[in-house]
């Protein structure tokens, strides 16, 4: 509506607002040279509005944030210990030879996605770097599930892409928020709810059992009744996060400072995290915007170790006769009235003192995005970033076999220092031309990614006395070190044709070269073709009440 206001006068114009569904007009930034409407994308992109979730639900990790909120994403945990993570599969396992984890981006820069960063818990490393991030820092998460992602993200994107978008400042006076959380972590009561925690009386009248007695005895219940021992706890996760956000037309800011301390139900399983994030948005001119992001993360994890999930399942077996160090037919020395109180090897009251495993993380993430719009029809953008990760993994086992009371010269200590840098560079430009009812958007870009890692590990075994826990004090000492590097360069071109903002056809091609290909290997070509049709806006359905919105899409890549 046009309103004329004469000098010195005031005019009031009333108007009404009505609701309109804008789901198809949501802007998607993942898998596109810039931002584009969801309606124009032919491949599957799931968006999780993380800020809305964390406002109403206490979320400790990014994996917990995604679990159950994005169809097709699977987290396969191999440990129930606090602080451990899992591999991530999008639409199932795509390869048994190549790592299955999707690529992970934070504000457009690629970050470390390897699960090989944690201590060895049993036979594998189980700490996922995705969980270093504070869910309270995240505005939304966009996930590409199809192989068409390779056209814009390269060789390693066939397993999908997870793009984490952090919170930004908004126009207005500073707004301060303070959020606290508190909860509990616990197991089922092992005295009553763990039917597998049995010592078997085999009818021989030995090992603390009556003659002819054949029954199972819950060793945890026996410890509680006869010795007053409680081996588990109600762990308390608690934390505080504070933010300040605001800004003007030229500068906007968002700062976050968070502290978390989580306790698991096992006494030696806990994790602490201190994180800070600063996001600054500067608009020096109407056609230029610069976004800078910095995130600092410090974590320390202590957890159990051993080939078995030892505290929970590794020490409550019977000795059925002549196995695991037991005297055949008697159950000794693991009898209920023996030194092991019916446990096969691990005494829970000693376990916390003998075994410790964990990881310390010092991680910094830097991102810089510069966008320039010299004309109404041309936009180009540069994104550069660095993910610098330094970890120290450690494992202490004062009895190298994992069992107590075997011999005096045992014990093992392993320490690994690892430094990993992920450098990314992404330049793209898009030119848009309108021809009648058609709109043509031509995009091209170049990307460079480099990952370098170096590590040094030491291992010492067989200590003279338990108080000597340095690697140099071990009777057997070993060290190893290594470096690895990987570089990828790719260029792509894309053409998108749309008709009256309802029908979209996109074709693209990308060429990649990777340092692992070898000097004589040519570029690998990744083509893509997709289509999208918002059929509910066609005249033959627009007046129908059958569908509020209906879109047909397809993608090949």
């Amino acid at each position: 509506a046009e309103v004329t206001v004469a000098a010195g006068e005031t005019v009031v114009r009333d108007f009404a607002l009505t609701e309109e569904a804008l789901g198809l007009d949501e802007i998607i930034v993942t898998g596109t040279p810039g931002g584009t409407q969801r309606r124009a994308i032919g491949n599957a992109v799931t968006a999780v509005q993380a800020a809305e979730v964390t406002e109403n639900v206490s979320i400790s990790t990014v994996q917990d944030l995604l679990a159950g909120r994005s169809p097709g994403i699977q987290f396969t945990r191999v440990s129930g210990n606090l602080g451990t993570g899992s591999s991530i599969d999008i639409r199932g396992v795509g390869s048994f030879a190549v790592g299955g984890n999707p690529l992970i981006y934070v504000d457009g820069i690629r970050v470390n996605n390897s699960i090989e960063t944690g201590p060895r818990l049993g036979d594998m490393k189980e700490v996922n770097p995705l969980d270093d991030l504070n869910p309270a820092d995240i505005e939304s998460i966009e996930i590409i599930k199809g192989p068409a992602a390779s056209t814009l993200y390269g060789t390693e994107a066939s397993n999908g892409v997870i793009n984490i978008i952090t919170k930004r400042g908004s126009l207005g006076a500073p707004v301060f928020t303070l959020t606290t959380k508190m909860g509990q972590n616990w197991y089922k009561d092992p005295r009553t709810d763990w039917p597998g925690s049995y010592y078997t009386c085999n009818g021989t009248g030995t090992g603390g059992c009556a003659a002819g007695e054949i029954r199972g005895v819950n060793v945890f219940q026996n410890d509680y009744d006869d010795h007053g021992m409680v081996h588990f706890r109600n762990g308390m996760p608690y934390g505080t996060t504070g933010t300040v956000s605001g800004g003007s037309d030229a500068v906007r800011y968002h700062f976050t400072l968070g502290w978390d301390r989580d306790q698991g139900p096992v006494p030696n399983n806990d994790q602490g995290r201190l994180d800070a994030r600063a996001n600054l948005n500067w608009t020096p001119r109407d056609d230029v915007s610069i976004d800078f992001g910095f995130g600092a993360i410090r974590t320390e994890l202590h957890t159990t170790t051993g080939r078995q999930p030892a505290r929970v399942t590794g020490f409550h077996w019977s000795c059925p006769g002549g196995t695991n160090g037991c005297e055949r037919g008697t159950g000794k020395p693991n009898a209920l009235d023996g030194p092991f109180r019916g446990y096969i090897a691990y005494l829970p009251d000693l376990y916390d003192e003998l075994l410790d495993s964990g990881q310390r993380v010092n991680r910094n993430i830097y991102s810089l995005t510069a966008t320039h719009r010299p004309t109404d029809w041309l936009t180009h953008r540069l994104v550069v970033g660095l993910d610098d990760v330094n970890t120290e993994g450690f494992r202490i086992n004062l009895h190298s076999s994992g069992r107590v009371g075997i011999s005096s010269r045992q014990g093992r200590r392993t320490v690994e220092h690892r430094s990993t840098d992920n450098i990314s560079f992404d330049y793209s430009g898009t030119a848009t031309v309108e021809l009648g009812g058609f709109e043509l958007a031509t995009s091209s870009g170049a990307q460079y990614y480099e990952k370098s890692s170096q590590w040094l590990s030491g291992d010492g075994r067989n200590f003279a006395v338990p108080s000597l826990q340095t690697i140099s004090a071990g009777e057997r000492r070993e060290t190893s070190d290594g470096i690895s590097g990987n570089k990828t360069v790719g260029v792509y071109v894309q053409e998108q044709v749309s008709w009256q903002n309802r029908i979209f056809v996109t074709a693209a091609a990308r060429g990649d070269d990777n340092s692992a290909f070898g000097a004589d290997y040519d570029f690998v070509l990744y083509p893509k073709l997709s289509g999208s049709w918002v059929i509910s806006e066609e005249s033959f359905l627009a007046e129908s009440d059958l569908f509020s919105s209906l879109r047909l899409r397809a993608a090949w890549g």
Side-chain angles (χ1 to χ4, degrees):
E2 294 183 0
V3 178
T4 302
V5 184
E9 293 184 358
T10 300
V11 174
V12 177
R13 176 65 182 260
D14 295 328
F15 57 91
L17 297 179
T18 58
E19 288 186 0
E20 181 180 0
L22 294 177
L24 293 178
D25 294 324
E26 177 186 4
I27 299 298
I28 301 296
V29 300
T30 306
T32 64
T36 191
Q37 294 173 302
R38 176 183 290 277
R39 63 169 58 209
I41 299 176
N43 50 300
V45 179
T46 296
V48 177
Q49 302 304 320
E52 297 179 3
V53 176
T54 54
E55 285 179 1
N56 301 293
V57 181
S58 178
I59 300 292
S60 298
T61 67
V62 177
Q63 290 192 70
D64 292 339
L65 177 63
L66 291 176
R69 294 183 174 90
S70 179
I73 294 187
Q74 302 171 4
F75 298 96
T76 309
R77 286 190 179 272
V78 293
S79 171
N81 290 329
L82 180 72
T84 59
S86 67
S87 60
I88 306 172
D89 296 322
I90 297 181
R91 289 182 171 173
V93 178
S95 171
F96 291 106
V98 181
N101 267 6
L103 298 186
I104 300 175
Y105 281 74
V106 175
D107 293 331
I109 70 162
R110 184 168 163 180
V111 299
N112 189 19
N113 71 330
S114 172
I115 63 173
E116 292 293 312
T117 63
R120 286 197 175 273
L121 310 178
D123 293 328
M124 53 195 313
K125 298 182 179 181
E126 303 166 353
V127 179
N128 197 309
L130 185 66
D131 286 341
D132 288 342
L133 306 176
N134 187 350
D137 286 338
I138 301 174
E139 180 67 32
S140 63
I141 302 176
E142 296 179 355
I143 303 159
I144 295 183
K145 302 177 183 179
S150 297
T151 303
L152 292 183
Y153 290 102
T155 299
E156 298 171 90
S158 58
N159 295 312
V161 177
I162 297 177
N163 190 10
I164 297 172
I165 302 165
T166 60
K167 293 179 179 179
R168 293 290 190 267
S170 56
L171 182 65
V175 175
F176 297 86
T177 65
L178 183 65
T179 304
T180 60
K181 69 174 185 178
M182 185 175 294
Q184 280 194 335
N185 293 321
W186 70 91
Y187 287 141
K188 292 180 179 180
D189 190 339
R191 295 167 293 167
T192 59
D193 295 332
W194 285 15
S197 310
Y198 286 131
Y199 170 88
T200 301
C201 291
N202 52 20
T204 61
T206 58
C209 300
E213 182 180 19
I214 299 176
R215 65 184 178 95
V217 179
N218 187 320
V219 290
F220 290 112
Q221 181 70 50
N222 188 67
D223 271 358
Y224 182 81
D225 292 340
D226 295 351
H227 305 285
M229 294 180 176
V230 178
H231 299 306
F232 300 94
R233 67 181 178 181
N234 288 338
M236 180 179 293
Y238 52 94
T240 301
T241 299
T243 68
V244 56
S245 181
S248 62
D249 289 333
V251 178
R252 303 187 186 188
Y253 55 86
H254 182 91
F255 301 104
T256 302
L257 181 63
W259 173 77
D260 280 281
R261 186 72 179 180
D262 288 351
Q263 297 176 335
V266 177
N268 63 346
N269 183 204
D270 58 75
Q271 182 179 34
R273 179 179 64 199
L274 178 65
D275 61 90
R277 170 156 286 276
N279 284 338
L280 298 174
N281 311 100
W282 179 38
T283 308
R285 303 187 327 215
D286 290 343
D287 61 342
V288 175
S289 62
I290 299 174
D291 301 332
F292 172 75
F294 169 70
I297 302 161
R298 308 291 183 266
T299 67
E300 182 168 350
L301 167 68
H302 291 265
T303 185
T304 55
T305 185
R307 289 184 179 273
Q308 305 291 339
R311 177 92 195 199
V312 180
T313 62
F315 46 55
H316 46 73
W317 299 328
S318 64
C319 288
T323 61
N324 299 315
C326 302
E327 183 179 342
R328 180 173 296 277
T330 64
K332 294 179 180 180
N334 294 57
L336 287 174
D337 55 357
F340 288 144
R341 306 193 307 271
Y343 295 101
I344 185 173
Y346 301 100
L347 291 178
D349 42 310
L350 296 179
Y351 189 80
D352 300 336
E353 302 175 10
L354 300 177
L355 302 173
D356 187 20
S357 177
Q359 176 181 243
R360 299 179 183 93
V361 176
N362 186 330
R363 185 175 187 180
N364 298 313
I365 301 175
Y366 307 85
S367 64
L368 178 66
T369 302
T371 305
H372 183 211
R373 306 171 186 83
T375 66
D376 292 339
W377 54 271
L378 177 62
T379 300
H380 60 133
R381 182 189 65 178
L382 173 66
V383 183
V384 294
L386 167 66
D387 181 20
D388 177 32
V389 186
N390 293 278
T391 62
E392 178 191 350
F394 57 90
R395 188 172 75 170
I396 303 173
N397 182 347
L398 295 188
H399 290 269
S400 60
S401 67
R403 301 178 183 179
V404 299
I406 304 300
S407 68
S408 60
R409 293 181 60 80
Q410 292 199 30
R412 180 178 181 179
R413 176 182 176 87
T414 304
V415 177
E416 179 188 81
H417 294 271
R418 181 179 292 266
S419 177
T420 304
D421 288 334
N422 294 263
I423 301 172
S424 58
F425 172 96
D426 185 345
Y427 173 79
S428 63
T430 300
T432 304
V433 178
E434 293 187 5
L435 298 174
F438 290 94
E439 182 177 276
L440 281 70
T442 304
S443 304
S444 63
Q447 294 172 340
Y448 173 81
Y449 170 72
E450 178 179 350
K451 179 178 180 179
S452 59
S453 181
Q454 55 183 343
W455 67 91
L456 173 65
S457 65
D459 182 86
R461 306 186 189 188
N462 300 339
F463 303 129
V465 293
S467 59
L468 294 178
Q469 299 180 21
T470 62
I471 293 175
S472 59
E475 181 180 0
R476 296 172 53 192
R477 298 179 297 273
E478 297 177 359
T479 60
S480 63
D481 66 341
I483 59 174
S484 65
N486 183 277
K487 299 178 182 180
T488 300
V489 60
V491 294
Y492 66 88
V493 61
Q494 174 178 290
E495 184 69 39
Q496 183 180 92
V497 181
S498 65
W499 166 253
Q500 295 184 349
N501 203 35
R502 295 198 305 270
I503 300 176
F504 304 86
V505 177
T506 303
R510 176 190 178 98
D512 252 16
D513 200 0
N514 186 280
S515 58
F517 292 168
D520 298 328
Y521 203 90
D522 294 332
F523 266 53
V524 178
L525 184 65
Y526 296 101
K528 166 188 172 181
L529 182 64
S530 68
S532 176
W533 181 16
V534 186
I535 192 173
S536 58
E537 295 183 2
E538 297 293 348
S539 58
F540 55 84
L541 282 180
E543 302 300 328
S544 172
D545 296 331
L546 184 61
F547 301 104
S548 59
S549 64
L550 177 63
R551 180 168 68 104
L552 306 180
R553 62 168 182 83
W556 170 84

